[in-house]
Amino acid sequence: MSPPVNRIPSDERLPEAVDVVVIGGGVIGVSSAYHLARKGLSVALVEKGHVAGEQSSRNWGWCRQQGRARAEIPLAREALRLWEEIQEEAGADTGFRRTGVLFLTKDPKEAADWERWAGIAREQQVHSTLLTPAQVAETLPTNAEKWVAGLHTPSDGRAEPSMAVPALALAARKRGVTIHQGCAARGLETTGGAVSAVVTEKGAIRTQAVLLAGGAWSSLFCRRHGIDLPIGLVDATACRTTPAPEFTDGALGTTAYCIRRRLDGGLTLALRGRGTVNLTPDILRYAKAFWPTFKQRRAGLKLRLGTDFFKQLFGNANWRLDQPSPFEAVRVQDPAPDMELVNAALAALIQGNPELKDIRIAEAWGGTIDSTPDTVPVISAVPSLQGFFLATGFSGHGFGIGPAAGKLAADIVRGDTPLVDPAAYSYQRLVDGRPLAPVGLF
């Protein structure tokens, strides 16, 4: 089951030509389209399903700087400012509130890692505080557990995924972006080694610049054009509860459960670092690149060999552009939730917070996360194909940094001075064998 999403209407008429075509209607694609339009470019956004249909509406709704990989901290800081700005321009509530993020630990080694990270964050004007056990108890007076430390970032926030991305799409439309849902991009036409058009199921759009923000579908789209993109797919689970007492107003994370206060009075609930890796030929192809991160996080991962392996093994990655593509066969990726994780998270939440004993699970859902080997996204030109750009591989971190990631992508496409140094997000780093950056805390 997928969470309900605020649906927006489509622009039915496909433009003949635009300055930029954005492929993908998640938070990254919509944000990129918005910022490109702000630069005065004509933009068409095409989406095989509907805006925010996949992971952009299925994530936790955390807007955090806390625990980010060093390279992501500047983007996360800028994103929080942009969330407020975009909400005002859209004239629609995204649910964004600066209510803080608090992580708790019972592991002294983890607390030491947090303290080191807080020092790095302070260098980038992000002020996170390591709380003592007494300070944690004061912050959460009804919590029944004993904690070694807490990491608190009061400037962090939360938003409602089902509301936020559609609101951002409305802001993009006000800037002139046309939005085409139920309109899969089948592939690219090229002329002289450069992009010249995007072929969709509803016709072609002439353009000299294409930004692929296709999330879990990006690697397959790239492979159709002979472009190597190491992306691993992880199925994650989250849920929402019935209304709960307001013992915390922001986001709270432990190894046993992670929660976010919702506008409807309930909690979004999940488990940190838990998911299922679908074994596919792509995973085997990129196994060496993913191995270091897998070793670090394997305790929370299940491995599954299912039909996806054989579909990819025997599937055709060279479909004709005048025939239906794989993107039309699955309009919305909708994996089943792992109810074992849901039940474990709820039990741990209630055990640690007895005042929540009466809450229940109202709805659970699955989502598919697109992850790079170092869990840092690709926001970059692709050198082998002029006019082709990527904004993908956000590794479960895309929602919170979406507004700033889209701005950086727009800067790169337009050739403007980038919002932040784009080197850490380069496509080349994933394919040239250089050592990859260390992953973040969470």
Side-chain angles (χ1 to χ4, degrees):
M1 178 182 293
S2 61
V5 178
N6 290 357
R7 300 291 288 269
I8 65 168
S10 289
D11 294 288
E12 294 303 325
R13 183 176 176 274
L14 210 63
E16 293 182 4
V18 294
D19 294 324
V20 187
V21 175
V22 175
I23 301 172
V27 64
I28 305 302
V30 172
S31 173
S32 300
Y34 167 79
H35 287 292
L36 286 162
R38 288 193 64 170
K39 294 176 179 290
L41 301 176
S42 59
V43 183
L45 183 148
V46 297
E47 161 58 44
K48 64 184 177 61
H50 60 86
V51 165
E54 296 188 336
Q55 188 58 21
S56 287
S57 63
R58 298 160 188 257
N59 62 85
W60 299 359
W62 293 32
C63 302
R64 65 177 173 89
Q65 304 155 102
Q66 183 165 294
R68 297 278 188 182
R70 183 191 291 264
E72 283 188 332
I73 294 174
L75 273 188
R77 191 178 67 245
E78 176 66 8
L80 289 168
R81 184 189 68 80
L82 287 170
W83 272 118
E84 295 172 328
E85 177 183 298
I86 290 169
Q87 179 165 277
E88 182 175 345
E89 178 165 342
D93 192 4
T94 64
F96 179 74
R97 311 285 189 271
R98 284 188 185 257
T99 49
V101 166
L102 173 63
F103 271 102
L104 303 174
T105 186
K106 298 177 181 179
D107 181 355
K109 181 182 179 303
E110 186 171 41
D113 291 340
W114 290 0
E115 189 165 24
R116 282 191 291 271
W117 181 88
I120 293 170
R122 280 192 295 274
E123 295 171 3
Q124 302 193 50
Q125 293 78 54
V126 174
H127 299 287
S128 299
T129 303
L130 196 71
L131 303 184
T132 65
Q135 289 171 320
V136 171
E138 183 180 351
T139 303
L140 298 171
T142 62
N143 187 273
E145 298 178 85
K146 301 297 183 184
W147 302 99
V148 167
L151 183 63
H152 184 224
T153 308
S155 59
D156 280 350
R158 58 182 172 90
E160 294 291 341
S162 62
M163 299 164 56
V165 183
L168 181 54
L170 294 176
R173 176 170 277 148
K174 287 181 179 180
R175 293 279 180 172
V177 176
T178 60
I179 299 172
H180 309 277
Q181 299 169 100
C183 182
R186 291 176 173 173
L188 308 174
E189 289 183 353
T190 60
T191 304
V195 168
S196 57
V198 172
V199 178
T200 79
E201 63 181 293
K202 295 182 178 179
I205 308 172
R206 296 195 309 277
T207 187
Q208 293 184 332
V210 174
L211 176 68
L212 175 62
W217 302 92
S218 296
S219 187
L220 177 60
F221 188 96
C222 285
R223 191 160 62 251
R224 167 64 177 76
H225 297 283
I227 296 169
D228 197 35
L229 179 61
I231 293 286
L233 303 183
V234 179
D235 285 350
T237 291
C239 64
R240 64 179 178 90
T241 73
T242 53
E246 195 164 328
F247 71 106
T248 180
D249 189 39
L252 172 66
T254 76
T255 55
Y257 58 84
C258 294
I259 58 171
R260 171 190 54 91
R261 171 63 59 177
R262 300 170 57 91
L263 292 185
D264 61 15
L267 304 170
T268 292
L269 170 66
L271 281 172
R272 169 160 59 103
R274 303 294 291 275
T276 298
V277 176
N278 289 299
L279 295 175
T280 64
D282 269 358
I283 287 291
L284 300 181
R285 184 180 295 119
Y286 303 128
K288 182 178 179 181
F290 278 99
W291 182 245
T293 300
F294 175 75
K295 283 196 302 182
Q296 179 179 334
R297 299 189 171 180
R298 62 184 171 185
L301 296 175
K302 298 179 181 179
L303 301 179
R304 179 171 61 203
L305 178 63
T307 57
D308 286 348
F309 182 93
F310 299 100
K311 286 179 181 177
Q312 193 178 110
L313 182 64
F314 298 110
N316 180 13
N318 193 32
W319 58 87
R320 290 174 46 178
L321 299 186
D322 61 352
Q323 297 292 325
S325 68
F327 313 116
E328 291 146 78
V330 181
R331 294 291 178 178
V332 176
Q333 184 89 339
D334 189 23
D338 185 334
M339 295 308 296
E340 180 182 345
L341 297 182
V342 169
N343 294 331
L346 180 63
L349 175 64
I350 293 174
Q351 181 178 353
N353 303 274
E355 66 182 306
L356 303 180
K357 60 182 173 55
D358 294 326
I359 66 170
R360 299 291 182 267
I361 300 301
E363 182 182 26
W365 57 84
T368 300
I369 294 170
D370 53 314
S371 183
T372 61
D374 58 1
T375 73
V376 172
V378 180
I379 310 172
S380 172
V382 177
S384 62
L385 181 55
Q386 183 180 334
F388 186 50
F389 303 84
L390 297 173
T392 193
F394 281 79
S395 308
H397 305 159
F399 178 77
I401 62 172
K407 189 174 190 301
L408 177 59
D411 290 342
I412 292 170
V413 171
R414 183 71 171 78
D416 294 339
T417 301
L419 171 68
V420 300
D421 184 353
Y425 309 102
S426 74
Y427 165 76
Q428 246 356 79
R429 83 182 196 276
L430 296 182
V431 296
D432 66 5
R434 78 178 74 171
L436 298 177
V439 300
L441 293 178
F442 314 119

